[in-house]
mmCIF file of all heavy atoms in Angstrom:
data_model
loop_
_atom_site.group_PDB
_atom_site.id
_atom_site.type_symbol
_atom_site.label_atom_id
_atom_site.label_comp_id
_atom_site.label_asym_id
_atom_site.label_seq_id
_atom_site.Cartn_x
_atom_site.Cartn_y
_atom_site.Cartn_z
ATOM 1 N N LEU A 15 -17.904 12.915 -50.869
ATOM 2 C CA LEU A 15 -17.005 13.524 -49.907
ATOM 3 C C LEU A 15 -17.284 14.986 -49.738
ATOM 4 O O LEU A 15 -17.395 15.471 -48.561
ATOM 5 C CB LEU A 15 -15.572 13.354 -50.354
ATOM 6 C CG LEU A 15 -14.434 13.995 -49.505
ATOM 7 C CD1 LEU A 15 -14.409 13.412 -48.068
ATOM 8 C CD2 LEU A 15 -13.088 13.889 -50.212
ATOM 9 N N LYS A 22 -23.825 17.131 -42.985
ATOM 10 C CA LYS A 22 -25.204 16.672 -43.024
ATOM 11 C C LYS A 22 -25.272 15.356 -43.752
ATOM 12 O O LYS A 22 -24.331 15.033 -44.560
ATOM 13 C CB LYS A 22 -26.128 17.661 -43.620
ATOM 14 C CG LYS A 22 -25.900 18.079 -45.094
ATOM 15 C CD LYS A 22 -26.799 19.089 -45.563
ATOM 16 C CE LYS A 22 -26.448 19.388 -46.949
ATOM 17 N NZ LYS A 22 -27.278 20.487 -47.561
ATOM 18 N N ARG A 25 -27.618 11.962 -49.215
ATOM 19 C CA ARG A 25 -28.602 11.000 -49.807
ATOM 20 C C ARG A 25 -28.479 11.008 -51.280
ATOM 21 O O ARG A 25 -27.871 11.944 -51.843
ATOM 22 C CB ARG A 25 -30.024 11.494 -49.363
ATOM 23 C CG ARG A 25 -30.271 11.532 -47.916
ATOM 24 C CD ARG A 25 -31.480 12.258 -47.524
ATOM 25 N NE ARG A 25 -31.385 13.645 -48.048
ATOM 26 C CZ ARG A 25 -32.471 14.414 -48.507
ATOM 27 N NH1 ARG A 25 -33.646 13.900 -48.402
ATOM 28 N NH2 ARG A 25 -32.245 15.638 -48.861
ATOM 29 N N MET A 44 -24.848 4.287 -57.251
ATOM 30 C CA MET A 44 -24.688 3.942 -55.830
ATOM 31 C C MET A 44 -24.750 2.468 -55.615
ATOM 32 O O MET A 44 -23.915 1.892 -54.814
ATOM 33 C CB MET A 44 -25.869 4.627 -55.023
ATOM 34 C CG MET A 44 -25.776 6.124 -54.915
ATOM 35 S SD MET A 44 -24.211 6.859 -54.332
ATOM 36 C CE MET A 44 -23.569 7.428 -55.895
ATOM 37 N N LYS A 48 -21.676 0.498 -53.920
ATOM 38 C CA LYS A 48 -21.917 -0.378 -52.777
ATOM 39 C C LYS A 48 -21.331 -1.779 -53.061
ATOM 40 O O LYS A 48 -20.741 -2.367 -52.194
ATOM 41 C CB LYS A 48 -23.390 -0.386 -52.434
ATOM 42 C CG LYS A 48 -23.627 -1.137 -51.200
ATOM 43 C CD LYS A 48 -25.132 -1.046 -50.807
ATOM 44 C CE LYS A 48 -25.381 -1.859 -49.580
ATOM 45 N NZ LYS A 48 -26.787 -1.871 -49.239
ATOM 46 N N LEU A 52 -17.267 0.540 -51.686
ATOM 47 C CA LEU A 52 -16.753 1.882 -51.605
ATOM 48 C C LEU A 52 -17.634 2.793 -50.850
ATOM 49 O O LEU A 52 -17.225 3.881 -50.370
ATOM 50 C CB LEU A 52 -16.455 2.444 -53.035
ATOM 51 C CG LEU A 52 -15.462 1.636 -53.901
ATOM 52 C CD1 LEU A 52 -15.390 2.149 -55.262
ATOM 53 C CD2 LEU A 52 -14.095 1.641 -53.224
ATOM 54 N N THR A 74 -8.745 11.908 -55.347
ATOM 55 C CA THR A 74 -9.376 12.579 -56.458
ATOM 56 C C THR A 74 -9.644 14.059 -56.224
ATOM 57 O O THR A 74 -9.369 14.907 -57.039
ATOM 58 C CB THR A 74 -10.674 11.823 -56.932
ATOM 59 O OG1 THR A 74 -10.386 10.474 -57.106
ATOM 60 C CG2 THR A 74 -11.299 12.468 -58.184
ATOM 61 N N ALA A 95 -10.807 26.291 -65.596
ATOM 62 C CA ALA A 95 -9.812 25.582 -64.765
ATOM 63 C C ALA A 95 -10.523 24.364 -64.022
ATOM 64 O O ALA A 95 -10.005 23.302 -64.043
ATOM 65 C CB ALA A 95 -9.137 26.485 -63.781
ATOM 66 N N ARG A 96 -11.687 24.659 -63.495
ATOM 67 C CA ARG A 96 -12.418 23.612 -62.731
ATOM 68 C C ARG A 96 -12.933 22.533 -63.723
ATOM 69 O O ARG A 96 -12.847 21.311 -63.373
ATOM 70 C CB ARG A 96 -13.681 24.237 -62.044
ATOM 71 C CG ARG A 96 -13.255 24.954 -60.836
ATOM 72 C CD ARG A 96 -14.474 25.390 -59.975
ATOM 73 N NE ARG A 96 -13.961 26.132 -58.842
ATOM 74 C CZ ARG A 96 -14.707 26.929 -58.174
ATOM 75 N NH1 ARG A 96 -15.914 27.177 -58.458
ATOM 76 N NH2 ARG A 96 -14.171 27.542 -57.138
ATOM 77 N N ASP A 98 -11.582 21.683 -66.645
ATOM 78 C CA ASP A 98 -10.411 20.947 -67.141
ATOM 79 C C ASP A 98 -9.809 20.077 -66.100
ATOM 80 O O ASP A 98 -9.362 18.953 -66.324
ATOM 81 C CB ASP A 98 -9.310 21.881 -67.678
ATOM 82 C CG ASP A 98 -9.646 22.552 -68.963
ATOM 83 O OD1 ASP A 98 -10.654 22.074 -69.602
ATOM 84 O OD2 ASP A 98 -9.015 23.498 -69.467
ATOM 85 N N LYS A 101 -11.386 16.757 -65.764
ATOM 86 C CA LYS A 101 -10.987 15.782 -66.831
ATOM 87 C C LYS A 101 -9.554 15.271 -66.491
ATOM 88 O O LYS A 101 -9.353 14.076 -66.684
ATOM 89 C CB LYS A 101 -11.020 16.497 -68.109
ATOM 90 C CG LYS A 101 -12.366 16.921 -68.675
ATOM 91 C CD LYS A 101 -12.256 17.876 -69.864
ATOM 92 C CE LYS A 101 -13.561 18.569 -70.156
ATOM 93 N NZ LYS A 101 -13.367 19.690 -71.149
ATOM 94 N N ILE A 102 -8.685 16.197 -66.122
ATOM 95 C CA ILE A 102 -7.271 15.761 -65.908
ATOM 96 C C ILE A 102 -7.147 14.918 -64.760
ATOM 97 O O ILE A 102 -6.261 14.086 -64.651
ATOM 98 C CB ILE A 102 -6.384 17.069 -65.845
ATOM 99 C CG1 ILE A 102 -6.381 17.872 -67.151
ATOM 100 C CG2 ILE A 102 -4.986 16.685 -65.405
ATOM 101 C CD1 ILE A 102 -5.939 19.255 -67.018
#
Side-chain angles (χ1 to χ4, degrees):
L15 176 65
K22 59 183 181 182
R25 301 165 302 147
M44 294 306 104
K48 186 175 179 182
L52 300 173
T74 303
R96 285 188 180 159
D98 287 348
K101 297 170 192 168
I102 297 168

